[in-house]
Amino acid sequence: MEDERKQEDKRRRLDGRYLRMAHIWAENSYCRRRKVGALVVKDKMIISDGYNGTPSGFENRCEDTSNVTFSYVLHAEANAITKLARSHNNSEGATLYVTASPCIECAKLIIQAGIRRVVYGETYRLDDGIQLLRRAGVEVVFMDMQQIKDKQDEEREQE
């Protein structure tokens, strides 16, 4: 029982680290309204990454002059998953770490990509993507970023 708890604590710490890395990766986004980052991890290796932005070859502008997001802007999850399609890696059984909960369209991509677990750090106003993932048997975990930072600070103080 204690070994299980240690394993779970270790997994949560690792989840927190990958989620913090996804937050850092989101800083690469040129979008002004919302910056989202994603990492695909398999066997403790990052096999893909993505952030929200425009398709390759497009100007790095996500919003129009009224601050409305262009319809062709890709979500971080879609960028990470499509990047996998151009590599020799596959996401079967992988975990996706994403700074915001996936929308319904990204949830479909996640399911089709064989990703079995999604860890996210911010809840989006619609939860239809989360509901679809759960319906498909994908493990969905919410981790509050402030709690992760507080826990990290607490661990540093104990060292």
Side-chain angles (χ1 to χ4, degrees):
M1 190 79 161
E2 191 171 321
D3 283 344
E4 286 179 30
R5 189 166 47 201
K6 282 183 181 179
Q7 284 295 97
E8 183 60 31
D9 286 346
K10 185 177 179 179
R11 184 178 196 181
R12 297 236 0 125
R13 281 195 309 273
L14 199 56
D15 284 346
R17 288 180 185 131
Y18 282 126
L19 195 54
R20 286 195 318 269
M21 290 169 70
H23 271 271
I24 291 167
W25 203 244
E27 294 172 12
N28 289 314
S29 174
Y30 288 91
C31 298
R32 293 186 317 260
R33 287 182 59 217
R34 181 185 202 114
K35 295 180 182 296
V36 180
L39 298 176
V40 180
V41 177
K42 186 173 180 179
D43 301 325
K44 296 183 182 177
M45 289 186 300
I46 298 170
I47 60 171
S48 190
D49 55 62
Y51 50 88
N52 58 325
T54 56
S56 297
F58 280 63
E59 182 182 3
N60 285 324
R61 267 189 49 234
C62 299
E63 298 90 5
D64 64 19
T65 55
S66 301
N67 208 30
V68 174
T69 301
F70 293 120
S71 60
Y72 54 80
V73 169
L74 290 161
H75 290 188
E77 307 93 302
N79 255 332
I81 291 168
T82 56
K83 191 184 277 189
L84 272 170
R86 297 176 72 176
S87 75
H88 295 291
N89 290 313
N90 92 42
S91 54
E92 189 66 41
T95 298
L96 173 74
Y97 295 89
V98 62
T99 58
S101 57
C103 71
I104 190 83
E105 294 302 318
C106 288
K108 293 176 196 177
L109 291 173
I110 291 164
I111 293 163
Q112 290 303 99
I115 293 169
R116 302 305 311 149
R117 190 165 177 266
V118 173
V119 179
Y120 68 98
E122 179 185 322
T123 302
Y124 187 60
R125 62 183 168 83
L126 301 174
D127 73 343
D128 51 355
I130 295 295
Q131 295 307 320
L132 184 65
L133 291 169
R134 288 187 175 132
R135 181 175 171 198
V138 175
E139 180 185 351
V140 178
V141 178
F142 169 73
M143 294 188 81
D144 184 289
M145 280 308 298
Q146 188 57 52
Q147 287 179 353
I148 292 169
K149 289 174 185 172
D150 292 346
K151 182 81 171 167
Q152 180 185 17
D153 291 344
E154 183 181 301
E155 288 172 359
R156 284 187 181 145
E157 288 174 7
Q158 292 174 357
E159 290 177 353

